[in-house]
Amino acid sequence: MKEHCSKAFFIIYFSEKDYGQSITYYTEAIELNPYVTAYWGNRSFAYIKTECYGYALNDASKALELDKTYIKAYYRRASANMALGKFKLALKDFEAVTKARPSDKDAQRNYHECNKIVKRQAFMKAISVDDHKKPVAVTIEEELANMVIEDDYQGPCIGEEGITLQFMKDLIETFKQQKKLHRKYAYQILVEVKKIFMSQASLVDITVPKGKKFTICGDVHGQFYDLLNIFELNGLPSEENPYLFNGDFVDRGSFSVECILTLWGFKLLYPSHFYMSRGNHESETMNQMYGFDGEVKAKYTNQMAELFTEVFNWLPLSHLINEKILAMHGGLFSEDNVTLDDIRKTDRNRQPPDSGIMCDLLWSDPQPQPGRSASKRGVGCQFGPDVTKKFLENNNLEYIVRSHEVKNEGYEVAHDGKCITVFSAPNYCDTMGNKGAFIVIRGDDLTPQFTSYEAVPHPNVKPMAYANSLLSMF
């Protein structure tokens, strides 16, 4: 009876897209009867929806241990591997589906689409051996002077004085009207902001003077109109109103180009009062899967998509505020005794690796229990309050601020107040119903003050509008 109740609750919560509760009740059903293949397969699907791809992989594999003919589990495992950029592993499962269902057109389509990605990766790897290839930014800078501004262009222009506050206000208004910045000025922003990021270390030091405020924001994920709401609530960036945006500026939301060009415009306008950390979605694989790559190509050019990747590679990995607060997108480390100097020395001009300091800074998550455990995402680790406490003591810090996870109120205080999560994309993907939040601290009082807010309306463009077609199975 109890098992049937758990299944019934899952159906109710799943239909309402409350995947967290779905996981809870399917977990109860599994504890009562771990031999029902569908329980593992369906919980795997809910884990995919909550971006717990590591857990999703485990559940799908468990379902296949129970029943090798359970086709949905092959799809689920392929989906999780696709989300992690493990395309060769996904291809094996798609191949298994096509063999089991040779007349299934969707299965054939998914197999061929994944196979194209695998072949493309192999081709790109083969041609990337030329270490002397000219960076796209250098090529674009040489061509900027010859880029023509058409007579009918009515948008904002960058003059000899560079980015100004008026330009930024005009840019925001242009984007609000769903118009584009001219490609010449978009390219100019990318070329110039890359130079700034290249001049910074992997760990950037920030000083907030006594009495002055400083705002920390989490993921915005291409939700441009919610980004503008932050500025409406908290003021536009300025030298008196500095900001740190803590990664995952793009993907999923379908206004990622508008978000990133606005943020990088403010970085150029206030280079010493506007900061940006790299997130796990500032990477080539994530962008190809979750929409940013497709959005850039749809709104601009393939070459610009390549340039975005170059700039993302130079984003700092973390920020140290008043020598007491460490901010990073993901979290702490798979090994003890990592120091701030170790972070400073980390080579970041690359795609995120599968392990090590850079990987953990972009991917890891806190957990309530002591110690460490395998990541629910399949990348990075999960770290407990004892790990946080030891890291802070070893590095003479007060607390860490990280992002990376949806929270109902837009933030969460964990690990005895020493690990704070801030997430700034409300109603994430137009489905999660969460609030967004930002944090304000002051230089003479590092106590965090939280502001939560609801999502605001946006034009009728769905999230993931530019995402890889294979993600339709998620």
Side-chain angles (χ1 to χ4, degrees), residues 208-212 322 442-444:
V208 183
K210 289 184 178 181
K212 301 294 185 180
N322 284 12
R442 296 192 177 273
D444 48 354

Side-chain angles (χ1 to χ4, degrees), residues 5 76 81 98 116 179 277 329 336 405:
C5 287
R76 306 270 156 81
N81 276 317
T98 59
K116 283 196 296 185
K179 297 178 181 179
S277 296
H329 179 73
D336 288 330
E405 286 185 288

Side-chain angles (χ1 to χ4, degrees), residues 424-461:
S424 300
N427 194 25
Y428 179 49
C429 291
D430 286 358
T431 60
M432 298 302 289
N434 61 291
K435 294 180 181 177
F438 56 82
I439 300 171
V440 172
I441 61 170
R442 296 192 177 273
D444 48 354
D445 180 8
L446 299 180
T447 303
Q449 303 295 322
F450 303 98
T451 298
S452 294
Y453 50 88
E454 302 281 356
V456 298
H458 63 73
N460 188 25
V461 182

Side-chain angles (χ1 to χ4, degrees), residues 1-7 24-43 59 62-63 66:
M1 178 68 179
K2 191 174 181 181
E3 179 184 339
H4 291 301
C5 287
S6 293
K7 184 176 180 182
T24 298
Y25 284 108
Y26 254 113
T27 298
E28 290 182 5
I30 287 170
E31 290 172 352
L32 290 168
N33 187 350
Y35 301 105
V36 179
T37 305
Y39 292 172
W40 296 95
N42 290 338
R43 192 175 70 170
D59 278 9
K62 181 63 178 179
L66 294 170

Side-chain angles (χ1 to χ4, degrees), residues 218-355:
D219 308 39
V220 294
H221 272 299
Q223 297 183 198
F224 177 69
Y225 297 86
D226 293 308
L227 171 63
L228 297 190
N229 190 41
I230 295 173
F231 295 149
E232 184 71 25
L233 294 169
N234 194 56
L236 285 174
S238 70
E239 293 184 356
E240 293 298 315
N241 193 28
Y243 280 83
L244 164 63
F245 279 82
N246 205 26
D248 280 12
F249 322 112
V250 301
D251 280 340
R252 293 199 178 270
S254 296
F255 304 96
S256 292
V257 166
E258 290 79 4
C259 279
I260 194 64
L261 289 178
T262 299
L263 294 172
W264 281 352
F266 279 120
K267 179 63 181 177
L268 290 171
L269 182 58
Y270 304 116
S272 300
H273 297 85
F274 193 88
Y275 302 91
M276 299 174 70
S277 296
R278 190 174 187 174
N280 63 299
H281 274 267
E282 277 70 61
S283 72
E284 189 171 19
T285 298
M286 293 291 106
N287 296 163
Q288 289 171 352
M289 291 302 299
Y290 290 96
F292 183 60
D293 183 74
E295 184 181 342
V296 175
K297 291 174 179 177
K299 294 178 178 178
Y300 288 102
T301 66
N302 291 10
Q303 189 180 42
M304 187 177 289
E306 292 182 45
L307 181 52
F308 269 111
T309 297
E310 279 189 10
V311 184
F312 285 159
N313 283 352
W314 283 105
L315 280 165
L317 302 177
S318 55
H319 291 78
L320 181 62
I321 303 169
N322 284 12
E323 300 183 336
K324 290 298 181 183
I325 305 169
L326 183 66
M328 77 290 283
H329 179 73
L332 295 180
F333 309 99
S334 304
E335 297 181 357
D336 288 330
N337 303 319
V338 173
T339 67
L340 298 180
D341 281 343
D342 291 330
I343 299 173
R344 285 192 177 93
K345 295 173 184 175
T346 300
D347 175 20
R348 69 183 189 277
N349 180 26
R350 53 181 171 155
Q351 289 301 292
D354 291 333
S355 62

